[in-house]
Amino acid sequence: MPRRFGPYGGAYVPETLVPALTELERAWRDARSDPKFRSELRRLSTTLGGRPTPLYLAENLTRRGGGARIWLKREDLVHGGAHKFNNALGQGLLARRMGKPRLIAETGAGQHGVATAMIGAALGLSTEVYMGEVDMERQHPNVERMRLLGARVIPVRTGSRTLKDAINAALRDWIASVRTTHYLIGSAVGPHPFPSIVADFQSVIGREIRRQSARSFGRSPDLVVACVGGGSNAIGTFRPLLRTKADLWGVEAGGPRNSAHGAASLSHGAPGILHGSLSYVLQDDDGQVAETQSVSAGLDYPGVGPEHAMLRDSGRVRYLAVRDRDALRAFHWLAEDEGILPALEPAHAVFAAVREAKRRGRGREIVVTLSGRGDKDLEVVLRAGAQ
Ligand SMILES: *Cc1c(COP(=O)(O)O)cnc(C)c1O
């Protein structure tokens, strides 16, 4: 397991956390070569999670694009309505294996908190989720969901009372509780070994795409598109396809029309250290982390996983930004053409794919990872429509 991806990654953390990260890396190494762990992961991915998810040929959306065929990898059908389950389940099983009875997590929009609470309940682990007070108010339904699932939601009242303050609070908790507690990080970010572990648990997406593409059209896709927040659904999609001929595109949030950088760290950021690793970060000239803006809460993060930073520099993956307005357009296309309400995060990727389909032309195959369903975004979509 690499500690670095080129120059990126690493573990920029207080010394007190190093033993916990070492223990986690060792447990993960043991687990991945243990057939019992792998079969339990497979069993629960199937019977609790609903895997494998289908690869769906979106014929009406293809007609709209007017060229290459567009296929959707249906992670919106995973238990809980998004790919976040894949990682929460894997890390939950890892926590149980390490003999840690307690999970902590931090959440901004609440989606990762809900996924962690779901897994905590299913595996019998007590779960506490840190959430900024401002976010608790904005995302009240998810606070109620977490509570119904048996988790305790801990309000964070420091700083701007949002995600970054919740991350600091969770890290402080972990430093004091590492013996009994696993910190379940929700994306392919944070100090080593988290980016590698999360990518590994999400790689089931790309492995299934490889297999299903071969079955559906006899080869690997010409283009594969996924949205990038912290980068977990995208790295899980890309990793198993890196050695195929497929073009790989990661789509970041371009934000509203007047926004200089939205939340597009790879398109507009520069290398810096955030939350324990070196990667691209949206920052000002002094290195202060910049405010981000996006219509989709799941992409609204100033950093990105370190493996994406390497893939950007090497040119193997192309990263682009799609604006709020275009993501909203793609939301409506998918709703009206295919009867699917997508989350606003993957709607960014759908827009890029539909626009590219014509340029590629007939006979080409495009796969888009539909990372989640859109029920959570209805209010935002309706409000935008009324403007
Ligand atoms: C959280 C979320 C994302 C962004 O997270 P990544 O780690 O970049 O995958 C994307 N799509 C959906 C549906 C989400 O809930």
Side-chain angles (χ1 to χ4, degrees):
M1 185 185 298
R3 300 185 58 79
R4 296 228 176 229
F5 303 96
Y8 303 107
Y12 300 84
V13 294
E15 228 173 305
T16 41
L17 278 184
V18 173
L21 295 171
T22 308
E23 179 193 16
L24 177 60
E25 177 170 6
R26 194 167 305 137
W28 168 233
R29 274 182 203 285
D30 288 350
R32 68 191 302 207
S33 58
D34 178 353
K36 269 214 317 250
F37 181 86
R38 305 185 69 91
S39 88
E40 182 68 348
L41 178 62
R42 203 172 319 119
R43 183 180 74 84
L44 289 172
S45 297
T46 307
T47 58
L48 182 63
R51 303 211 73 88
T53 60
L55 184 66
Y56 170 68
L57 174 58
E59 292 188 69
N60 301 325
L61 196 67
T62 294
R63 213 165 295 129
R64 180 187 290 275
R69 287 202 291 187
I70 300 172
W71 303 76
L72 303 174
K73 178 59 176 162
R74 299 291 309 275
E75 292 300 292
D76 59 316
L77 297 179
V78 176
H79 180 38
H83 69 292
K84 286 189 168 70
F85 172 91
N86 306 330
N87 170 53
L89 172 64
Q91 285 195 53
L93 288 173
L94 214 48
R96 204 166 66 174
R97 185 183 173 90
M98 289 186 288
K100 299 194 173 182
R102 176 173 177 257
L103 299 176
I104 56 170
E106 92 295 307
T107 195
Q111 297 301 112
H112 172 58
V114 171
T116 305
M118 255 164 38
I119 292 304
L123 300 184
L125 303 167
S126 86
T127 305
E128 300 190 52
V129 181
Y130 287 92
M131 192 167 186
E133 237 178 11
V134 171
D135 289 335
M136 282 180 71
E137 220 161 279
R138 283 196 293 215
Q139 312 289 342
H140 198 68
N142 275 339
V143 174
E144 296 302 344
R145 280 187 193 104
M146 286 185 263
R147 287 179 177 152
L148 288 168
L149 292 162
R152 193 159 81 95
V153 182
I154 306 175
V156 177
R157 302 194 170 89
T158 51
S160 57
R161 296 176 292 148
T162 58
L163 178 62
K164 73 175 170 46
D165 312 290
I167 293 175
N168 292 334
L171 274 170
R172 256 196 314 277
D173 180 316
W174 204 34
I175 289 170
S177 66
V178 281
R179 250 178 4 90
T180 58
T181 301
H182 176 65
Y183 179 14
L184 206 160
I185 288 188
S187 189
V189 299
H192 172 80
F194 281 106
S196 296
I197 290 177
V198 175
D200 227 353
F201 286 131
Q202 293 293 1
S203 289
V204 66
I205 303 173
R207 286 197 305 271
E208 287 179 9
I209 290 176
R210 217 172 43 195
R211 200 170 62 230
Q212 292 166 327
S213 298
R215 204 182 303 142
S216 301
F217 47 86
R219 58 188 178 85
S220 48
D222 297 288
L223 171 64
V224 180
V225 190
C227 65
V228 179
S232 70
N233 88 86
I235 203 68
T237 298
F238 297 160
R239 253 200 190 180
L241 297 162
L242 285 172
R243 270 182 248 145
T244 70
K245 287 199 181 119
D247 290 339
L248 305 174
W249 284 11
V251 182
E252 299 187 291
R257 193 174 16 194
N258 57 2
S259 152
H261 54 239
S265 351
L266 291 158
S267 307
H268 298 293
I273 291 167
L274 182 66
H275 300 139
S277 73
L278 176 67
S279 186
Y280 279 80
V281 179
L282 286 167
Q283 53 191 309
D284 67 18
D285 292 341
D286 297 327
Q288 291 298 311
V289 176
E291 293 289 323
T292 54
Q293 266 183 301
S294 169
V295 69
S296 71
L299 302 186
D300 204 356
Y301 179 68
V304 65
E307 194 167 357
H308 287 292
M310 179 185 74
L311 292 168
R312 171 199 186 276
D313 287 5
S314 75
R316 177 62 186 93
V317 179
R318 183 181 158 211
Y319 295 90
L320 56 148
V322 163
R323 295 259 185 209
D324 288 356
R325 207 178 54 121
D326 292 331
L328 285 161
R329 282 167 70 193
F331 176 98
H332 290 290
W333 294 344
L334 207 47
E336 289 161 27
D337 292 353
E338 301 292 345
I340 296 171
L341 299 176
L344 282 171
E345 291 86 357
H348 289 72
V350 169
F351 180 85
V354 171
R355 203 180 38 184
E356 179 68 6
K358 185 158 196 163
R359 223 183 58 78
R360 300 259 163 168
R362 277 174 210 283
R364 302 287 166 185
E365 314 283 359
I366 300 179
V367 172
V368 186
T369 295
L370 197 63
S371 54
R373 66 176 180 225
D375 307 49
K376 68 182 179 63
D377 293 321
L378 288 194
E379 221 175 295
V380 177
V381 171
L382 295 177
R383 216 180 310 129
Q387 275 170 9

